Amino acid sequence: MRLRSLNTTLVAGISALLLVACEREAATDSLPAPPRPVRTITVEKREQLTPLTFSGRIEAEDEASLAFRISGRLQSSDIRLGDRVEAGQLLAQLEAQDQLSAQRQAQAALAAAQGQLTKARNHFERQQTLLAQGWTTRANFEAATQAQQTAQSNVEMAEAQLSSAHDQVSFTELRADAPGKITEKGPVAGEVVQAGQTIARIARQDGRDAVFDVPAQFVRAAPPNLPVSVSLTDDPAVTAKGRIRQIAAQADPITRTFEVKVGLTDPPAAMRLGATVSGRVETGSGPVIDIPATALTRINRQPAVWIVDPSTNVVSARNVDILRFDQADVIISQGLDAGEIIVTAGVQALHSGQKVRVLGAAP
């Protein structure tokens, strides 16, 4: 009997202890969970810059084609590609026998006209004296006056013809109009050339352009005076800065591209004429929302983010559409608005309706 009473007492004690433990556990479960610490950012819109790269070449900013003004047989040509020339330097010469002959004829005609003018002037002066003394008639005096005026006109015409002959002789010489470098060579000595036919092309030393052939989409989107970074294709370390200064008004009929000239600022000496270069520009495509890649999670098998209600610090999930992403950033096309707060660290341990505490904020 005494043993049975002891067992009963032990059972009652264990039951009481279990009851107390259950009550404590129930009280613990009824306490709210502490806010989950997270990191957040406020969503902002920014201008999206899209990098574009084109291949081109270096050309002179000011380049001119030189040609004779008259036709003839090329007597000499001292032009070599790459030669540096000075202003006024003789580049090529035509055979000038016909022009020199015409010049001599014009000189002779002028001398004859001047002789006739001297004779007519002397006759006019005599008639003027005789008319004053009453020894000649008014008709003779007027005839002498007319003869002097005609002789004067003949002299002026002969002088104009001689000047034209001098010009024709000078046109047989082709000289550089400015310092620069020969970039193109035309006919050689002995060939017959026509007026206006290119004999040489000179790149003047005023500046350098990077020239690119770009599609029409870029021409429509590019703002005026757009900055461009230019580098040598075979040595990207050689770079220069420039800005678009000219866009062709018409597309190339074969490639359907537009020629764009970029004026370079202090280009290095290594960027020689004809060198192949790469041009890089960044064009804006409108404001976008970008967020850190760590803010992205997956809910309902779709990309999503956690939105924080600033008044309650409670999170809710929202699916978003992704425009583009990389390892660091994600470009959002739809689903977020500027000013909203999203979680960027701790997204994997959250659930809808959970209260959070922003790290760095007061608990």
Side-chain angles (χ1 to χ4, degrees):
M1 293 297 292
R2 185 176 299 176
L3 179 59
R4 181 179 299 177
S5 176
L6 179 61
N7 290 338
T8 302
T9 303
L10 288 174
V11 171
I14 292 172
S15 300
L17 290 175
L18 290 174
L19 180 61
V20 171
C22 290
E23 290 177 351
R24 288 180 178 178
E25 183 177 354
T28 302
D29 291 341
S30 64
L31 292 176
R36 183 83 182 181
V38 296
R39 294 189 184 277
T40 63
I41 63 168
T42 300
V43 174
E44 295 180 352
K45 285 189 176 182
R46 65 174 182 82
E47 187 72 19
Q48 182 186 16
L49 297 178
T50 303
L52 298 174
T53 303
F54 301 104
S55 179
R57 62 199 176 277
I58 296 295
E59 292 184 0
E61 180 179 339
D62 187 6
E63 196 169 13
S65 296
L66 302 183
F68 289 105
R69 299 187 184 185
I70 59 176
S71 302
R73 186 171 182 268
L74 195 60
Q75 177 178 328
S76 63
S77 177
D78 299 328
I79 301 172
R80 291 183 299 180
L81 289 177
D83 282 355
R84 291 191 176 276
V85 297
E86 301 298 330
Q89 180 177 334
L90 181 63
L91 304 179
Q93 190 170 10
L94 296 176
E95 292 181 350
Q97 290 86 346
D98 294 343
Q99 288 75 20
L100 291 173
S101 178
Q103 179 178 276
R104 288 192 293 269
Q105 291 177 2
Q107 289 175 338
L110 176 59
Q114 289 174 338
Q116 291 295 326
L117 176 59
T118 300
K119 180 180 178 180
R121 186 177 291 122
N122 291 337
H123 181 62
F124 168 78
E125 291 175 354
R126 286 196 300 271
Q127 289 297 319
Q128 188 177 32
T129 301
L130 292 174
L131 180 62
Q133 297 175 354
W135 295 103
T136 188
T137 63
R138 172 68 62 179
N140 289 338
F141 173 74
E142 291 177 354
T145 302
Q146 182 64 37
Q148 178 182 246
Q149 292 175 349
T150 301
Q152 181 64 45
S153 298
N154 290 338
V155 169
E156 292 174 356
M157 182 173 61
E159 289 175 343
Q161 292 175 345
L162 180 59
S163 177
S164 177
H166 278 303
D167 290 340
Q168 291 296 312
V169 172
S170 67
F171 292 162
T172 63
E173 296 180 344
L174 184 65
R175 297 182 180 274
D177 61 345
K181 181 182 290 187
I182 302 295
T183 60
E184 183 180 335
K185 178 182 177 181
V188 297
E191 295 187 37
V192 176
V193 299
Q194 302 299 319
Q197 181 179 349
T198 299
I199 305 300
R201 191 170 180 85
I202 292 184
R204 294 167 179 164
Q205 296 179 350
D206 298 337
R208 292 288 183 270
D209 279 345
V211 182
F212 304 95
D213 296 321
V214 303
Q217 295 90 332
F218 174 80
V219 173
R220 289 193 295 267
N225 208 27
L226 178 69
V228 181
S229 298
V230 180
S231 61
L232 285 178
T233 302
D234 58 355
D235 188 0
V238 179
T239 62
K241 298 294 185 181
R243 290 184 178 273
I244 293 178
R245 70 175 187 85
Q246 181 178 333
I247 299 177
Q250 185 174 359
D252 184 276
I254 299 176
T255 63
R256 309 309 302 171
T257 57
F258 290 80
E259 185 181 76
V260 174
K261 293 186 176 181
V262 176
L264 300 179
T265 303
D266 298 328
M271 286 189 176
R272 298 182 176 88
L273 295 175
T276 302
V277 294
S278 297
R280 178 183 173 87
V281 298
E282 291 184 343
T283 59
S285 57
V288 296
I289 292 176
D290 64 334
I291 63 174
T294 56
L296 202 64
T297 186
R298 182 171 290 274
I299 296 177
N300 299 328
R301 297 183 179 181
Q302 293 182 354
V305 295
W306 289 104
I307 307 294
V308 179
D309 186 342
S311 61
T312 62
N313 281 353
V314 173
V315 297
S316 59
R318 183 186 299 173
N319 292 115
V320 294
D321 293 335
I322 298 176
L323 178 64
R324 189 174 64 253
F325 67 90
D326 55 32
Q327 294 182 350
D329 298 307
V330 178
I331 306 297
I332 303 299
S333 60
Q334 289 184 356
L336 285 178
D337 292 323
E340 292 185 311
I341 301 174
I342 63 172
V343 178
T344 60
V347 296
Q348 302 302 330
L350 298 178
H351 57 81
S352 293
Q354 184 174 1
K355 193 176 184 64
V356 296
R357 177 174 61 86
V358 178
L359 291 177

